[in-house]
Amino acid sequence: MEHRLKTQRNRLSRRISLILLTVWLPVSVLYCFIRLRNEKIDVQREMLANASYAKQYLSLGMLHQTTGNQLYISNGNLLEFKDMIEKDFDSQMIVIEPDSGQVLADTADRVRVTYSFLTDKGTYPDDYGFLDFHTLRNALSDAQYEKIVQWLRTEPGDGSSYALICSEFYTFADQIFPLTVSVVRTESDSERFDEDAIAEDFSTNLTAPADAVIFRNGVSRLNLIPTDFFLNGIRNRDCIHRLTDSQREKNIAMIPTGTAQYIVYTSDYVFLSAFTFNVEKGYYEKNDRLYLLQYAREVNLIKSSAKGMIGGAAVIFGVLLTIGGVLFLMIWHTTGTQIRQEQRRRDLTTALAHDIKTPLFIISGYAYSLKEDIDSGERDRYLDKIIEQTDRINALVHNMLNLSKLDSDQMTLTRTTFDLWELTEDLLADYQKLPEGKTILPAHSGDNLISADRTLIRTALQNLIDNAVQYALPGSDIRIHVTGKSFRIANPCQPLTKAQQKAIWQPYYRVDQSRHHKGNGLGLSIVKAIFDLHGVRYELNVQDPAMFDLSVEWKDDTDLH
């Protein structure tokens, strides 16, 4: 039976684990699906907000158009259009002239480079322009590119590092065309270098137009090309040109490009005041014109919401794990209780079998003897033995029925007021002669009136006295004190362990498993049931040297009102 219970417990544990896992997987998938859907909605809202923001600062910025028709924003109150390149590498913004369809500005495939340069009049202040990745890469041979990569990945070891600069270049429509790039050694937190810190120069295959102004790097200044841009390629993604013409005609759209991957696209017209330089007149002219603004961003919903999905799945797993832990504890506790009950049932069955088998064996033996021709004296003695063993079985059955009744919810108390000392004296009248030189020493004091079920209290006290007489050491004194509304009984006994002190209240438990003492192990369990039913406080102290000392106290709430 115990093996079956343990097997059942393990089976239930595995089943619960499987159920929790089965629940966790679809719930987590559902949560991730909802999270992805919400992420998609959030991305659309963010795109509209970004597009509106872009329109706002384009409208407020001062727009200029160079001779190369490259549109840019001069110093305005808000962010400049060039800053879009550095702000979001997964996004792209294009400004188009609607009439001609000419692209006036495009943030894809470029990085912003701040530079200073030398002229005959000295060093010019900082300015910046666009550096196109494809232009830079195609301007270098494969051998040059590999050599520069080798330099940039080398660490000098003294806290400095190698950087790549534009040392000679020309510009057209705000785009930088490098004629010579140089690897320089510089401090990692510095924007300056010494001229002797140049490690190696690399001439590109670009040729400047005849009318182009050649700029040279300013003294001790870095016209820095970002290392990650040079090593890893395109800084800003070209999203818009991957769309079809029909897709680009929509005001807003999310175009799928893969699993949970989209290009979020929006387009709108913006009215801008642009300034075009008039070469003949030598100044800028203002032109109020309508431009088409296209804004796109490449998003991976799984990547952008991965932390949230993992966190949510972890929370769900934690909740289910907590529920599973509670269920496991309940199963282990319930199964443990069942195993203990099964062990107790086996002990009970063994005890009952022994307690009934011995009297039945004696009764059977004397009954067979009565069938023989014996004298009347022996017959009477045999009959007395049969009656004695019958009474023993009857007492056992009676105690079992009493314990069962006390443990049931149907038991009710018949309270009366009586004197606890008088009841004790009445019981002690049956214990005048005790075996093995044992002696009962009673004493009392105070008012001993209590309110309780007299019949049950009599049974409890009688079982306590029987237990003391049975287990007290030979020649010892059994002391009984009735003080006020308390009853105390103490007697020397064999040493009891902590486990035994707890177990003696269980049915059919005996400290002496050899059954040298009479009794069926129900006495103290009946006492416990009666005291629990009355709600009185009782306490067992086993002192050293071993002394069985039990005190019972009736509180005011159990007294007669």
Side-chain angles (χ1 to χ4, degrees):
M1 182 66 177
E2 181 177 348
H3 176 72
R4 184 178 64 82
L5 289 173
K6 290 182 178 180
T7 302
Q8 183 180 8
R9 179 182 63 187
N10 295 334
R11 187 184 301 115
L12 285 174
S13 300
R14 290 192 297 269
R15 189 171 299 174
I16 289 177
S17 300
L18 182 60
I19 291 175
L20 292 178
L21 183 61
T22 305
V23 172
W24 175 71
L25 285 175
V27 171
S28 297
V29 170
L30 178 61
Y31 171 80
C32 293
F33 174 79
I34 296 174
R35 186 66 185 247
L36 287 174
R37 187 187 63 177
N38 293 338
E39 184 73 14
K40 185 176 180 180
I41 296 174
D42 292 341
V43 166
Q44 289 177 323
R45 292 175 179 173
E46 182 182 356
M47 279 295 298
L48 290 175
N50 289 347
S52 176
Y53 183 58
K55 287 174 58 179
Q56 182 181 16
Y57 73 70
L58 279 175
S59 299
L60 295 177
M62 300 295 291
L63 296 183
H64 293 260
Q65 197 167 9
T66 66
T67 54
N69 288 325
Q70 177 67 35
L71 189 69
Y72 67 95
I73 303 175
S74 65
N75 295 328
N77 295 326
L78 300 178
L79 291 175
E80 299 186 2
F81 178 73
K82 297 176 183 179
D83 291 334
M84 288 295 297
I85 295 179
E86 295 293 329
K87 296 302 180 183
D88 190 351
F89 298 153
D90 292 328
S91 66
Q92 180 187 11
M93 188 168 69
I94 296 178
V95 179
I96 300 176
E97 187 178 38
D99 295 338
S100 63
Q102 181 181 7
V103 177
L104 302 179
D106 191 345
T107 63
D109 304 345
R110 297 178 179 182
V111 67
R112 189 180 71 174
V113 175
T114 303
Y115 62 88
S116 62
F117 53 91
L118 289 174
T119 65
D120 296 338
K121 297 180 180 180
T123 302
Y124 270 51
D126 289 348
D127 199 353
Y128 55 86
F130 298 117
L131 179 62
D132 182 78
F133 174 79
H134 298 289
T135 300
L136 175 61
R137 180 63 185 88
N138 294 331
L140 297 169
S141 66
D142 292 341
Q144 288 177 317
Y145 182 80
E146 294 298 331
K147 186 62 180 295
I148 295 174
V149 169
Q150 184 179 358
W151 275 112
L152 295 180
R153 289 178 175 172
T154 301
E155 296 183 2
D158 56 356
S160 62
S161 61
Y162 291 107
L164 184 66
I165 65 170
C166 288
S167 52
E168 190 177 41
F169 56 93
Y170 71 93
T171 63
F172 180 77
D174 280 340
Q175 182 170 339
I176 297 174
F177 294 89
L179 300 175
T180 303
V181 294
S182 302
V183 175
V184 298
R185 184 171 180 173
T186 181
E187 301 295 332
S188 58
D189 57 349
S190 174
E191 292 184 355
R192 299 181 178 274
F193 70 99
D194 296 329
E195 289 185 339
D196 58 359
I198 297 178
E200 188 173 354
D201 293 323
F202 296 88
S203 299
T204 68
N205 58 16
L206 297 178
T207 302
D211 58 347
V213 178
I214 306 300
F215 299 102
R216 298 187 308 277
N217 182 66
V219 176
S220 301
R221 293 289 295 171
L222 291 178
N223 298 341
L224 186 66
I225 301 173
T227 299
D228 62 338
F229 173 74
F230 184 82
L231 295 179
N232 301 323
I234 298 173
R235 180 67 77 90
N236 288 73
R237 298 182 184 277
D238 187 352
C239 306
I240 296 177
H241 293 103
R242 293 163 58 187
L243 304 178
T244 63
D245 292 339
S246 60
Q247 291 172 337
R248 295 175 65 176
E249 291 175 357
K250 299 179 180 179
N251 289 333
I252 183 170
M254 287 193 72
I255 297 92
T257 58
T259 303
Q261 295 181 348
Y262 296 87
I263 292 179
V264 188
Y265 172 80
T266 180
S267 64
D268 199 0
Y269 288 95
V270 57
F271 188 77
L272 303 176
S273 295
F275 293 83
T276 305
F277 185 75
N278 191 318
V279 178
E280 296 178 356
K281 297 180 180 181
Y283 59 83
Y284 285 96
E285 294 181 342
K286 179 181 178 183
N287 297 305
D288 294 335
R289 302 177 62 181
L290 192 66
Y291 294 92
L292 176 62
L293 172 64
Q294 294 179 338
Y295 184 58
R297 181 183 178 189
E298 189 172 9
V299 296
N300 186 321
L301 298 183
I302 295 179
K303 182 179 179 181
S304 61
S305 60
K307 290 184 178 179
M309 290 190 296
I310 293 174
V315 170
I316 295 172
F317 183 79
V319 171
L320 293 178
L321 185 63
T322 302
I323 295 174
V326 173
L327 292 176
F328 282 134
L329 289 177
M330 293 175 60
I331 290 175
W332 279 81
H333 175 73
T334 302
T335 308
T337 302
Q338 290 177 338
I339 292 175
R340 288 191 296 271
Q341 290 176 346
E342 174 61 21
Q343 181 63 40
R344 198 159 57 203
R345 184 191 65 81
R346 288 202 302 265
D347 295 342
L348 183 149
T349 303
T350 303
L352 280 178
H354 187 279
D355 287 341
I356 294 177
K357 183 182 71 172
T358 301
L360 288 178
F361 178 76
I362 295 174
I363 292 173
S364 176
Y366 283 112
Y368 277 111
S369 297
L370 288 176
K371 294 178 65 176
E372 300 177 358
D373 186 14
I374 57 175
D375 57 40
S376 58
E378 285 296 312
R379 181 181 295 274
D380 292 339
R381 190 172 69 84
Y382 288 178
L383 290 174
D384 290 339
K385 289 293 184 180
I386 291 175
I387 293 172
E388 178 186 347
Q389 296 303 318
T390 303
D391 291 340
R392 181 179 173 184
I393 296 176
N394 184 62
L396 174 61
V397 174
H398 182 72
N399 285 336
M400 290 176 57
L401 293 175
N402 283 340
L403 182 61
S404 177
K405 187 176 181 182
L406 288 170
D407 287 339
S408 68
D409 297 331
Q410 300 176 354
M411 186 67 183
T412 57
L413 297 177
T414 304
R415 289 184 179 272
T416 59
T417 303
F418 59 93
D419 191 296
L420 182 60
W421 171 246
E422 290 181 0
L423 177 61
T424 304
E425 279 190 311
D426 185 40
L427 288 170
L428 293 178
D430 297 332
Y431 297 90
Q432 297 300 320
K433 294 182 180 182
L434 301 180
E436 299 179 328
K438 302 174 185 179
T439 305
I440 296 179
L441 301 178
H444 79 101
S445 63
D447 180 11
N448 308 127
L449 288 178
I450 63 171
S451 174
D453 190 312
R454 181 184 176 91
T455 302
L456 293 180
I457 296 300
R458 181 185 179 89
T459 300
L461 297 185
Q462 185 174 4
N463 284 342
L464 286 175
I465 297 172
D466 286 342
N467 185 77
V469 171
Q470 184 173 348
Y471 290 100
L473 296 178
S476 62
D477 294 332
I478 301 171
R479 299 183 181 275
I480 298 177
H481 291 240
V482 178
T483 305
K485 297 174 176 58
S486 65
F487 176 90
R488 180 180 179 185
I489 183 170
N491 60 273
C493 65
Q494 296 293 336
L496 296 177
T497 64
K498 294 290 185 182
Q500 288 175 329
Q501 293 177 38
K502 294 181 179 179
I504 58 176
W505 302 104
Q506 300 299 324
Y508 295 100
Y509 179 82
R510 293 180 180 181
V511 176
D512 184 5
Q513 299 293 338
S514 63
R515 301 182 181 272
H516 290 160
H517 295 91
K518 294 182 179 180
N520 47 47
L522 293 175
L524 290 182
S525 60
I526 293 176
V527 171
K528 180 180 184 299
I530 292 174
F531 287 161
D532 288 342
L533 188 62
H534 279 79
V536 299
R537 185 173 66 89
Y538 57 97
E539 182 179 2
L540 172 63
N541 292 314
V542 179
Q543 304 171 2
D544 189 18
M547 176 71 72
F548 185 93
D549 188 349
L550 178 70
S551 59
V552 186
E553 182 179 356
W554 277 261
K555 297 181 180 180
D556 292 340
D557 59 350
T558 59
D559 292 343
L560 179 64
H561 300 289

